[in-house]
Amino acid sequence: MARYTGAVCRQCRREGQKLFLKGERCYSDKCALTRRSFAPGQHGQARKKVSEYGVQLRAKQKAKKYYGVLESQFRKYYEMANRKAGITGENLLRILESRMDNIVYRAGFAMSRAEARQLVLHRHFTVNGKTVNIPSYLLKEGDVVELRTRDCEKIKDSMEKNSGRPTPVWMTVDKDNYKAQIDRLPARSEIDFDVAEHLIVELYSK
């Protein structure tokens, strides 16, 4: 199974924006972007003229890194969004938000999407009573995600640390019973990700 195994803090520095890939570290003074707010590499601080294509590419790369998705799967999500009724860019973000690993992260069960992915792979969660170990599993309105193993200290620790993080308005989280219900899929205004999704659509439409 292909996945990125390099230094994730470089990705935030490359995009010039916190992508919250490192969990607790991203909220502390140790964040690499806070300490070095320029792109990595020898020419990271040099001014560069970016073409229209470059701007579109950066928007796509930022979204891929933020949700932890590789190119082939991201392209598949775009095609899926393009077939749906409505605005393609918003459909794309809505699909990405409905991924199992993202829901586990948004509910506060993990400190990062990478950690959420690992917890899902290790069969810690069920969806509507059935064990799901596929991080890319897409949830629907009304689905209930529940913790299978109540004795997992890592998840309890993450929930305690995430207690101050707001829960998305489109889901209901029962922290006492370790449950999260998808009330509805989010509107664009309810997705707190700063990206110009129309640039991604323009890139793939060429």
Side-chain angles (χ1 to χ4, degrees), residues 88-144:
T88 301
E90 293 184 9
N91 289 341
L92 175 61
L93 292 183
R94 205 170 286 120
I95 290 170
L96 291 165
E97 283 289 326
S98 67
R99 280 174 55 100
M100 179 72 175
D101 54 0
N102 181 74
I103 296 298
V104 169
Y105 167 71
R106 291 288 193 191
F109 297 135
M111 294 299 296
S112 67
R113 288 180 179 83
E115 186 178 295
R117 178 186 179 90
Q118 186 179 45
L119 291 171
V120 173
L121 285 169
H122 290 180
R123 305 171 67 87
H124 284 289
F125 295 95
T126 64
V127 176
N128 302 329
K130 295 182 179 179
T131 302
V132 172
N133 65 339
I134 304 172
S136 61
Y137 181 87
L138 298 180
L139 283 85
K140 305 181 294 297
E141 183 177 320
D143 285 347
V144 177

Side-chain angles (χ1 to χ4, degrees), residues 49-201:
K49 186 177 180 180
V50 183
S51 65
E52 180 184 356
Y53 172 79
V55 173
Q56 295 168 349
L57 180 64
R58 290 266 55 89
K60 184 198 72 168
Q61 295 295 84
K62 185 194 296 186
K64 281 171 52 182
K65 292 169 184 176
Y66 185 72
Y67 289 103
V69 179
L70 295 182
E71 178 60 34
S72 60
Q73 195 163 33
F74 194 85
R75 181 66 187 240
K76 190 184 299 181
Y77 288 149
Y78 166 76
E79 292 171 354
M80 190 186 304
N82 197 31
R83 290 194 297 267
K84 289 178 176 286
I87 302 172
T88 301
E90 293 184 9
N91 289 341
L92 175 61
L93 292 183
R94 205 170 286 120
I95 290 170
L96 291 165
E97 283 289 326
S98 67
R99 280 174 55 100
M100 179 72 175
D101 54 0
N102 181 74
I103 296 298
V104 169
Y105 167 71
R106 291 288 193 191
F109 297 135
M111 294 299 296
S112 67
R113 288 180 179 83
E115 186 178 295
R117 178 186 179 90
Q118 186 179 45
L119 291 171
V120 173
L121 285 169
H122 290 180
R123 305 171 67 87
H124 284 289
F125 295 95
T126 64
V127 176
N128 302 329
K130 295 182 179 179
T131 302
V132 172
N133 65 339
I134 304 172
S136 61
Y137 181 87
L138 298 180
L139 283 85
K140 305 181 294 297
E141 183 177 320
D143 285 347
V144 177
V145 177
E146 185 173 4
L147 182 64
R148 284 181 65 235
T149 48
R150 300 295 175 88
D151 58 343
C152 182
E153 292 300 324
K154 179 64 178 175
I155 295 174
K156 291 179 180 178
D157 184 52
S158 295
M159 291 186 72
E160 185 177 338
K161 290 177 179 177
N162 286 326
S163 59
R165 199 173 76 193
T167 302
V169 297
W170 46 274
M171 70 164 67
T172 302
V173 178
D174 183 352
K175 295 184 178 180
D176 293 331
N177 294 310
Y178 301 96
K179 286 184 182 180
Q181 179 171 327
I182 313 303
D183 299 325
R184 54 183 172 79
L185 294 182
R188 177 61 184 99
S189 59
E190 296 167 340
I191 300 174
D192 59 348
F193 178 36
D194 180 20
V195 66
E197 62 274 9
H198 68 276
L199 295 175
I200 302 172
V201 177

